Amino acid sequence: MAQPAQPAPGEAAAAWRSRFVSLFDRAPVALAISDAYGLILGANPAFASAWQLQPGKLEGRRLLDLLTPTNDRQLLRLDEALRSRRRSRYPVEVSWQVRGAARHGRVTVEPVSDPQDDVPRLLVSLTEEAGADRPAPPPQDPADGLGPQEARILPLVAAGASGSAIAREVGLTVDGVTSHVPRLCRRLGVPNRPALIARAYVLGLLDPAAWPPRVAGAAGPGRP
């Protein structure tokens, strides 16, 4: 009796991809897939509905342009895990805006590609908190407002260093620096680097008497 024909490897892969896409789109959980730098490669309708958009409108946008992390320690833990290629699930508390209204919730980020890959893909799920229309939390105290990496990056920005020079100094990729600087701008409520520097001095984050720039309270030449 003749055996049924087996599908070619390419056909089988295409069939599995089609099934995955169908399940991804129908999942009630808000899901997105991004590259390691947060560039959205795909989002399902549940994820896009958090912004009252169609999924295609989110493709090619950066997660950090849509979501503002509200817990720096969680974000630092995720950043360190990705750079050391640790595989687990990493929650990060976030907020975002929809038609002028604040929303609050949590994303869970999980590397999903093969461990041998140099650059993993990220599976991102979003959960919105109940009572998302609550007032936004007050701004952080500037004295507690910088994470360790930000405290190294901000003075270099103030000194006029390029993205590549900052990356070499702090041990990040240029893309890593590129993600930190806009996040600092969003947290301080400014549109660009010059305004970020001015705002940092006004808030007392940078020492006004120091050159090269340094974080206020940091030890330097002539200081204990």
Side-chain angles (χ1 to χ4, degrees):
M1 185 175 179
Q3 296 292 325
Q6 296 295 319
E11 294 175 352
W16 278 109
R17 176 179 175 79
S18 177
R19 291 171 189 161
F20 169 78
V21 171
S22 178
L23 290 172
F24 182 76
D25 285 343
R26 295 179 182 180
V29 178
L31 297 172
I33 296 175
S34 80
D35 67 11
Y37 306 109
L39 185 71
I40 297 174
L41 306 175
N44 71 356
F47 191 92
S49 69
W51 289 268
Q52 302 178 10
L53 296 172
Q54 295 298 315
K57 296 292 187 180
L58 296 182
E59 293 180 11
R61 299 182 66 176
R62 292 190 178 276
L63 288 167
L64 287 175
D65 291 335
L66 299 169
L67 298 164
T68 301
T70 57
N71 187 313
D72 287 338
R73 291 182 181 177
Q74 291 176 331
L75 192 64
L76 180 62
R77 190 179 305 120
L78 172 61
D79 180 63
E80 292 174 344
L82 293 177
R83 287 191 284 112
S84 61
R85 301 184 184 181
R86 295 200 300 268
R87 306 283 168 145
S88 188
R89 295 179 179 178
Y90 300 94
V92 180
E93 296 169 8
V94 295
S95 65
W96 66 99
Q97 295 284 325
V98 183
R99 301 183 186 279
R103 296 287 185 266
H104 304 268
R106 171 180 292 186
V107 292
T108 301
V109 182
E110 180 178 5
V112 293
S113 60
D114 189 282
Q116 300 302 317
D117 288 349
D118 288 336
V119 182
R121 297 288 188 264
L122 305 179
L123 179 64
V124 181
S125 62
L126 173 65
T127 304
E128 184 172 354
E129 290 182 359
D133 290 324
R134 70 189 183 192
Q140 292 178 303
D141 184 337
D144 299 323
L146 296 178
Q149 202 69 273
E150 292 170 332
R152 300 178 66 195
I153 291 173
L154 183 58
L156 294 168
V157 172
S162 66
S164 58
I166 295 173
R168 288 193 300 271
E169 181 70 21
V170 302
L172 290 176
T173 64
V174 174
D175 284 330
V177 172
T178 301
S179 71
H180 274 286
V181 174
R183 185 161 63 247
L184 278 167
C185 288
R186 285 194 297 273
R187 286 182 54 195
L188 300 190
V190 296
N192 51 41
R193 283 190 178 208
L196 172 64
I197 297 166
R199 182 72 169 157
Y201 278 112
V202 168
L203 292 175
L205 294 172
L206 294 174
D207 185 343
W211 188 266
R214 64 169 174 254
V215 172
R223 299 184 66 168

